[in-house]
Amino acid sequence: MKKLKVIISGGGTGGHIFPAVAIAKALQRIHPEVEILFVGADGRMEMEKVPQAGFKIIGLPIMGIQRRLTLQNLKVPFKVIASLLKARKIIKDFQPDIAIGVGGYASGPLLKAASSAGIKTLIQEQNSYPGVTNKILSKKAERICVAYDNLEKFFPAEKILKTGNPVRHDVWQIAGKRELSQQHFGLSNDKTTLLVIGGSLGARTINRAIEKHANELTSNNLQILWQTGKNFQPNSEVLANADVKIHPFIFEMDLAYAAADVIISRAGAMSISELCLIGKPTLLIPSPNVAEDHQTKNAMALVNNNAALIIKDSEAESTLHNTILNLVKDGELQSKLASNIIKMGKPEADVTIAKEVLHICGIK
């Protein structure tokens, strides 16, 4: 079996890191003679998460431009130059057959250095609206693996391959776990379970809406499993009589999904990819604090297929509770949403991308 050397670059958020790890593990399963090196950004979460997943990572001194005026932005050009120089050295030392970019600060300098050295590159774009870095890098890439339709306006059409987003298998394989999940979270088996995912840092609007209406919701034979994020502390007096299980962060997402009857979530690309594999009735509240409002675009890809409901962030506090109660009482709507959302899932995305990597490298 031919030896293969692969660099995977990017990170910054779980939405970039977890697909990267999923691709790496698929490559290892399909082609055991593979050596994988990750390249991330110093000080970002990939520097911790990637080694935890069992892979070596090297950090670049790259940083992003702050949206507000700050002296930190004066450092950016120097950090970019330093990162390009370090990326060139990494390419020279490691001699990869291919470099994969998953988005995030580090993928820019690394893929630029790789393509300048004549190394083949592949981009994995998670969102329905690509970031600036991937738009620039796409011109030199061999292949652009995407999760959404209609990306020809951003990327060369002949390079696009619709694969879906790679999701870790341990997150979405939930069959037979419902009883275990109820025990784990202390949930009753005779109530409808509402799973609220506020994100790792929290989604303030969703959290405030749930806090405000928790008593009304749980008086309707509902129980709430609530990931608040670490930046939100619910008012215990307000929630004294509500049936809620509060967690700043849920590590056992497979169990949380297994317990859920209805799910409330933001509309990040990776969240949506997971939800499409879980197949539960879902209500999406896109974050307004993202570039080009791409979470709304992500959500509408489901809504237009009758696969999810959507509420604007600005309307959540006033309308979320009634929308939840109407959904919980409408079994036919729940069945339709669950049936349609699971049709949009791409469980083999990691393998499809790994096979494309091998194909580009001339390995059958």
Side-chain angles (χ1 to χ4, degrees), residues 284-326:
L284 298 168
I285 305 170
S287 171
N289 308 312
V290 294
E292 305 293 341
D293 196 26
H294 70 247
Q295 284 206 5
T296 297
K297 295 178 175 73
N298 293 347
M300 290 309 297
L302 271 62
V303 174
N304 291 337
N305 284 285
N306 294 315
L309 302 180
I310 188 171
I311 289 181
K312 285 184 180 177
D313 186 83
S314 59
E315 298 171 1
E317 278 195 65
S318 58
T319 65
L320 179 60
H321 62 297
N322 283 328
T323 308
I324 291 168
L325 290 174
N326 289 337

Short mmCIF file of all heavy atoms in Angstrom, two decimals, residues 284-326:
data_model
loop_
_atom_site.label_atom_id
_atom_site.label_comp_id
_atom_site.label_asym_id
_atom_site.label_seq_id
_atom_site.Cartn_x
_atom_site.Cartn_y
_atom_site.Cartn_z
N LEU A 284 -35.27 26.07 14.16
CA LEU A 284 -34.00 26.77 14.04
C LEU A 284 -34.16 28.26 14.30
O LEU A 284 -35.12 28.88 13.84
CB LEU A 284 -33.43 26.56 12.64
CG LEU A 284 -33.11 25.11 12.26
CD1 LEU A 284 -32.82 24.99 10.78
CD2 LEU A 284 -31.93 24.58 13.08
N ILE A 285 -33.20 28.82 15.04
CA ILE A 285 -33.16 30.26 15.30
C ILE A 285 -31.77 30.74 14.89
O ILE A 285 -30.81 30.69 15.67
CB ILE A 285 -33.43 30.57 16.79
CG1 ILE A 285 -34.76 29.94 17.21
CG2 ILE A 285 -33.46 32.08 17.02
CD1 ILE A 285 -35.03 29.98 18.69
N PRO A 286 -31.62 31.18 13.64
CA PRO A 286 -30.29 31.57 13.15
C PRO A 286 -29.69 32.72 13.95
O PRO A 286 -30.39 33.66 14.32
CB PRO A 286 -30.56 31.99 11.70
CG PRO A 286 -31.85 31.34 11.33
CD PRO A 286 -32.65 31.30 12.60
N SER A 287 -28.40 32.63 14.20
CA SER A 287 -27.70 33.73 14.85
C SER A 287 -27.59 34.91 13.89
O SER A 287 -27.22 34.73 12.73
CB SER A 287 -26.30 33.30 15.28
OG SER A 287 -25.55 34.42 15.71
N PRO A 288 -27.88 36.13 14.37
CA PRO A 288 -27.71 37.30 13.51
C PRO A 288 -26.28 37.82 13.50
O PRO A 288 -25.94 38.71 12.71
CB PRO A 288 -28.65 38.33 14.16
CG PRO A 288 -28.61 37.97 15.62
CD PRO A 288 -28.43 36.47 15.69
N ASN A 289 -25.43 37.24 14.35
CA ASN A 289 -24.07 37.78 14.55
C ASN A 289 -23.03 37.03 13.73
O ASN A 289 -21.95 36.71 14.21
CB ASN A 289 -23.69 37.71 16.04
CG ASN A 289 -24.74 38.34 16.92
OD1 ASN A 289 -25.19 39.45 16.64
ND2 ASN A 289 -25.15 37.65 17.97
N VAL A 290 -23.37 36.72 12.46
CA VAL A 290 -22.43 35.99 11.61
C VAL A 290 -22.33 36.69 10.26
O VAL A 290 -23.23 37.42 9.86
CB VAL A 290 -22.87 34.52 11.41
CG1 VAL A 290 -22.82 33.76 12.71
CG2 VAL A 290 -24.27 34.45 10.80
N ALA A 291 -21.22 36.43 9.56
CA ALA A 291 -20.97 37.11 8.28
C ALA A 291 -22.06 36.77 7.26
O ALA A 291 -22.45 35.61 7.13
CB ALA A 291 -19.60 36.68 7.75
N GLU A 292 -22.53 37.80 6.56
CA GLU A 292 -23.47 37.64 5.45
C GLU A 292 -24.74 36.88 5.85
O GLU A 292 -25.41 36.29 5.00
CB GLU A 292 -22.79 36.92 4.27
CG GLU A 292 -21.52 37.58 3.78
CD GLU A 292 -21.76 38.93 3.13
OE1 GLU A 292 -22.91 39.20 2.74
OE2 GLU A 292 -20.79 39.72 3.03
N ASP A 293 -25.07 36.89 7.15
CA ASP A 293 -26.29 36.20 7.63
C ASP A 293 -26.34 34.75 7.14
O ASP A 293 -27.40 34.24 6.78
CB ASP A 293 -27.54 36.98 7.16
CG ASP A 293 -28.80 36.57 7.92
OD1 ASP A 293 -28.68 36.10 9.07
OD2 ASP A 293 -29.90 36.69 7.34
N HIS A 294 -25.18 34.07 7.13
CA HIS A 294 -25.15 32.74 6.51
C HIS A 294 -25.95 31.70 7.29
O HIS A 294 -26.37 30.70 6.70
CB HIS A 294 -23.70 32.27 6.26
CG HIS A 294 -22.92 31.94 7.49
ND1 HIS A 294 -21.84 32.67 7.91
CD2 HIS A 294 -23.03 30.93 8.38
CE1 HIS A 294 -21.33 32.14 9.00
NE2 HIS A 294 -22.04 31.08 9.31
N GLN A 295 -26.21 31.93 8.60
CA GLN A 295 -27.02 30.93 9.32
C GLN A 295 -28.46 30.91 8.81
O GLN A 295 -29.08 29.85 8.76
CB GLN A 295 -26.97 31.18 10.83
CG GLN A 295 -25.67 30.74 11.47
CD GLN A 295 -25.82 30.38 12.94
OE1 GLN A 295 -26.91 30.36 13.50
NE2 GLN A 295 -24.70 30.08 13.57
N THR A 296 -28.98 32.07 8.43
CA THR A 296 -30.33 32.10 7.85
C THR A 296 -30.35 31.34 6.53
O THR A 296 -31.27 30.56 6.24
CB THR A 296 -30.82 33.54 7.64
OG1 THR A 296 -30.91 34.18 8.92
CG2 THR A 296 -32.18 33.58 6.97
N LYS A 297 -29.29 31.52 5.73
CA LYS A 297 -29.19 30.79 4.45
C LYS A 297 -29.11 29.28 4.70
O LYS A 297 -29.73 28.48 4.00
CB LYS A 297 -27.99 31.28 3.65
CG LYS A 297 -28.09 32.75 3.22
CD LYS A 297 -26.84 33.20 2.48
CE LYS A 297 -26.97 34.63 1.93
NZ LYS A 297 -26.90 35.65 2.99
N ASN A 298 -28.31 28.88 5.72
CA ASN A 298 -28.22 27.47 6.09
C ASN A 298 -29.60 26.92 6.46
O ASN A 298 -30.01 25.84 6.01
CB ASN A 298 -27.30 27.26 7.29
CG ASN A 298 -25.83 27.58 7.00
OD1 ASN A 298 -25.43 27.73 5.86
ND2 ASN A 298 -25.05 27.68 8.06
N ALA A 299 -30.30 27.67 7.31
CA ALA A 299 -31.61 27.23 7.80
C ALA A 299 -32.63 27.11 6.68
O ALA A 299 -33.41 26.16 6.63
CB ALA A 299 -32.11 28.19 8.87
N MET A 300 -32.62 28.09 5.77
CA MET A 300 -33.62 28.10 4.69
C MET A 300 -33.46 26.91 3.75
O MET A 300 -34.44 26.48 3.12
CB MET A 300 -33.56 29.41 3.92
CG MET A 300 -34.05 30.62 4.70
SD MET A 300 -35.69 30.40 5.48
CE MET A 300 -36.72 30.17 4.01
N ALA A 301 -32.26 26.35 3.66
CA ALA A 301 -32.08 25.14 2.85
C ALA A 301 -32.94 24.01 3.39
O ALA A 301 -33.44 23.17 2.62
CB ALA A 301 -30.60 24.73 2.84
N LEU A 302 -33.17 23.97 4.71
CA LEU A 302 -34.05 22.98 5.32
C LEU A 302 -35.51 23.41 5.25
O LEU A 302 -36.38 22.62 4.88
CB LEU A 302 -33.66 22.75 6.79
CG LEU A 302 -32.62 21.66 7.07
CD1 LEU A 302 -31.30 21.98 6.42
CD2 LEU A 302 -32.45 21.46 8.56
N VAL A 303 -35.76 24.66 5.59
CA VAL A 303 -37.14 25.18 5.63
C VAL A 303 -37.80 25.03 4.26
O VAL A 303 -38.97 24.65 4.15
CB VAL A 303 -37.15 26.65 6.10
CG1 VAL A 303 -38.56 27.24 6.00
CG2 VAL A 303 -36.64 26.75 7.54
N ASN A 304 -37.05 25.29 3.20
CA ASN A 304 -37.60 25.20 1.84
C ASN A 304 -37.92 23.77 1.43
O ASN A 304 -38.64 23.54 0.44
CB ASN A 304 -36.63 25.82 0.83
CG ASN A 304 -36.53 27.32 0.97
OD1 ASN A 304 -37.44 27.97 1.49
ND2 ASN A 304 -35.42 27.90 0.55
N ASN A 305 -37.41 22.81 2.19
CA ASN A 305 -37.73 21.40 1.95
C ASN A 305 -38.68 20.84 3.02
O ASN A 305 -38.77 19.62 3.18
CB ASN A 305 -36.44 20.58 1.91
CG ASN A 305 -35.68 20.74 0.61
OD1 ASN A 305 -36.09 20.19 -0.41
ND2 ASN A 305 -34.62 21.52 0.63
N ASN A 306 -39.35 21.74 3.75
CA ASN A 306 -40.27 21.33 4.83
C ASN A 306 -39.59 20.39 5.82
O ASN A 306 -40.17 19.42 6.29
CB ASN A 306 -41.53 20.65 4.26
CG ASN A 306 -42.38 21.61 3.46
OD1 ASN A 306 -42.61 22.73 3.89
ND2 ASN A 306 -42.83 21.18 2.29
N ALA A 307 -38.31 20.69 6.12
CA ALA A 307 -37.52 19.83 6.98
C ALA A 307 -37.22 20.46 8.34
O ALA A 307 -36.61 19.82 9.21
CB ALA A 307 -36.21 19.46 6.29
N ALA A 308 -37.63 21.71 8.54
CA ALA A 308 -37.43 22.41 9.82
C ALA A 308 -38.30 23.65 9.84
O ALA A 308 -38.76 24.12 8.79
CB ALA A 308 -35.96 22.80 10.00
N LEU A 309 -38.52 24.17 11.04
CA LEU A 309 -39.19 25.46 11.22
C LEU A 309 -38.12 26.50 11.53
O LEU A 309 -37.04 26.17 12.01
CB LEU A 309 -40.21 25.39 12.36
CG LEU A 309 -41.32 24.34 12.26
CD1 LEU A 309 -42.23 24.42 13.48
CD2 LEU A 309 -42.12 24.51 10.97
N ILE A 310 -38.45 27.77 11.31
CA ILE A 310 -37.49 28.85 11.57
C ILE A 310 -38.19 30.00 12.28
O ILE A 310 -39.36 30.29 12.03
CB ILE A 310 -36.85 29.34 10.25
CG1 ILE A 310 -35.72 30.34 10.51
CG2 ILE A 310 -37.89 29.94 9.31
CD1 ILE A 310 -34.90 30.69 9.27
N ILE A 311 -37.46 30.61 13.21
CA ILE A 311 -37.91 31.84 13.88
C ILE A 311 -36.75 32.83 13.83
O ILE A 311 -35.59 32.45 14.08
CB ILE A 311 -38.31 31.59 15.35
CG1 ILE A 311 -39.61 30.79 15.42
CG2 ILE A 311 -38.47 32.88 16.12
CD1 ILE A 311 -40.08 30.52 16.85
N LYS A 312 -37.04 34.08 13.52
CA LYS A 312 -36.00 35.11 13.55
C LYS A 312 -35.53 35.32 14.98
O LYS A 312 -36.34 35.30 15.92
CB LYS A 312 -36.54 36.43 13.00
CG LYS A 312 -36.70 36.47 11.50
CD LYS A 312 -37.15 37.86 11.07
CE LYS A 312 -37.32 37.95 9.57
NZ LYS A 312 -37.82 39.28 9.16
N ASP A 313 -34.25 35.59 15.13
CA ASP A 313 -33.69 35.85 16.46
C ASP A 313 -34.42 37.00 17.14
O ASP A 313 -34.71 36.95 18.34
CB ASP A 313 -32.20 36.18 16.33
CG ASP A 313 -31.50 36.33 17.65
OD1 ASP A 313 -31.11 35.31 18.23
OD2 ASP A 313 -31.37 37.48 18.12
N SER A 314 -34.75 38.03 16.38
CA SER A 314 -35.40 39.22 16.95
C SER A 314 -36.82 38.94 17.45
O SER A 314 -37.37 39.71 18.23
CB SER A 314 -35.44 40.35 15.91
OG SER A 314 -36.14 39.92 14.75
N GLU A 315 -37.41 37.82 17.01
CA GLU A 315 -38.79 37.49 17.39
C GLU A 315 -38.87 36.35 18.42
O GLU A 315 -39.96 36.00 18.87
CB GLU A 315 -39.60 37.11 16.14
CG GLU A 315 -39.71 38.25 15.13
CD GLU A 315 -40.31 37.81 13.80
OE1 GLU A 315 -40.67 36.60 13.68
OE2 GLU A 315 -40.43 38.64 12.89
N ALA A 316 -37.71 35.79 18.76
CA ALA A 316 -37.71 34.57 19.58
C ALA A 316 -38.34 34.77 20.96
O ALA A 316 -39.13 33.93 21.41
CB ALA A 316 -36.29 34.04 19.72
N GLU A 317 -38.00 35.86 21.62
CA GLU A 317 -38.52 36.06 22.98
C GLU A 317 -40.03 36.14 23.01
O GLU A 317 -40.66 35.71 23.97
CB GLU A 317 -37.89 37.31 23.61
CG GLU A 317 -36.52 37.05 24.19
CD GLU A 317 -36.05 38.16 25.13
OE1 GLU A 317 -36.68 38.35 26.18
OE2 GLU A 317 -35.05 38.81 24.79
N SER A 318 -40.63 36.68 21.95
CA SER A 318 -42.08 36.85 21.96
C SER A 318 -42.83 35.67 21.35
O SER A 318 -43.99 35.43 21.71
CB SER A 318 -42.46 38.14 21.21
OG SER A 318 -41.97 38.09 19.88
N THR A 319 -42.20 34.91 20.44
CA THR A 319 -42.96 33.88 19.72
C THR A 319 -42.48 32.44 19.92
O THR A 319 -43.19 31.50 19.57
CB THR A 319 -42.94 34.17 18.20
OG1 THR A 319 -41.59 34.05 17.72
CG2 THR A 319 -43.46 35.56 17.89
N LEU A 320 -41.28 32.26 20.48
CA LEU A 320 -40.71 30.91 20.56
C LEU A 320 -41.59 29.94 21.33
O LEU A 320 -41.86 28.83 20.88
CB LEU A 320 -39.30 30.96 21.18
CG LEU A 320 -38.59 29.61 21.36
CD1 LEU A 320 -38.39 28.92 20.01
CD2 LEU A 320 -37.23 29.78 22.06
N HIS A 321 -42.10 30.37 22.49
CA HIS A 321 -42.84 29.44 23.35
C HIS A 321 -44.11 28.94 22.67
O HIS A 321 -44.44 27.75 22.73
CB HIS A 321 -43.16 30.07 24.70
CG HIS A 321 -44.01 31.29 24.66
ND1 HIS A 321 -43.63 32.45 24.03
CD2 HIS A 321 -45.27 31.51 25.14
CE1 HIS A 321 -44.59 33.36 24.16
NE2 HIS A 321 -45.59 32.81 24.81
N ASN A 322 -44.83 29.84 21.99
CA ASN A 322 -46.05 29.41 21.30
C ASN A 322 -45.75 28.48 20.13
O ASN A 322 -46.48 27.52 19.88
CB ASN A 322 -46.85 30.63 20.81
CG ASN A 322 -47.61 31.30 21.94
OD1 ASN A 322 -48.05 30.64 22.88
ND2 ASN A 322 -47.76 32.62 21.86
N THR A 323 -44.66 28.76 19.41
CA THR A 323 -44.26 27.90 18.29
C THR A 323 -43.90 26.51 18.80
O THR A 323 -44.26 25.50 18.19
CB THR A 323 -43.07 28.51 17.53
OG1 THR A 323 -43.38 29.85 17.17
CG2 THR A 323 -42.76 27.72 16.27
N ILE A 324 -43.20 26.44 19.94
CA ILE A 324 -42.84 25.15 20.55
C ILE A 324 -44.11 24.38 20.92
O ILE A 324 -44.26 23.20 20.58
CB ILE A 324 -41.96 25.35 21.80
CG1 ILE A 324 -40.57 25.87 21.40
CG2 ILE A 324 -41.82 24.04 22.57
CD1 ILE A 324 -39.74 26.35 22.59
N LEU A 325 -45.03 25.05 21.62
CA LEU A 325 -46.25 24.37 22.08
C LEU A 325 -47.09 23.88 20.90
O LEU A 325 -47.64 22.78 20.92
CB LEU A 325 -47.07 25.30 22.98
CG LEU A 325 -46.43 25.60 24.35
CD1 LEU A 325 -47.24 26.64 25.12
CD2 LEU A 325 -46.29 24.32 25.18
N ASN A 326 -47.18 24.69 19.85
CA ASN A 326 -47.94 24.27 18.67
C ASN A 326 -47.30 23.05 18.00
O ASN A 326 -48.00 22.14 17.56
CB ASN A 326 -48.02 25.42 17.66
CG ASN A 326 -48.94 26.54 18.13
OD1 ASN A 326 -49.82 26.32 18.97
ND2 ASN A 326 -48.72 27.75 17.63
#
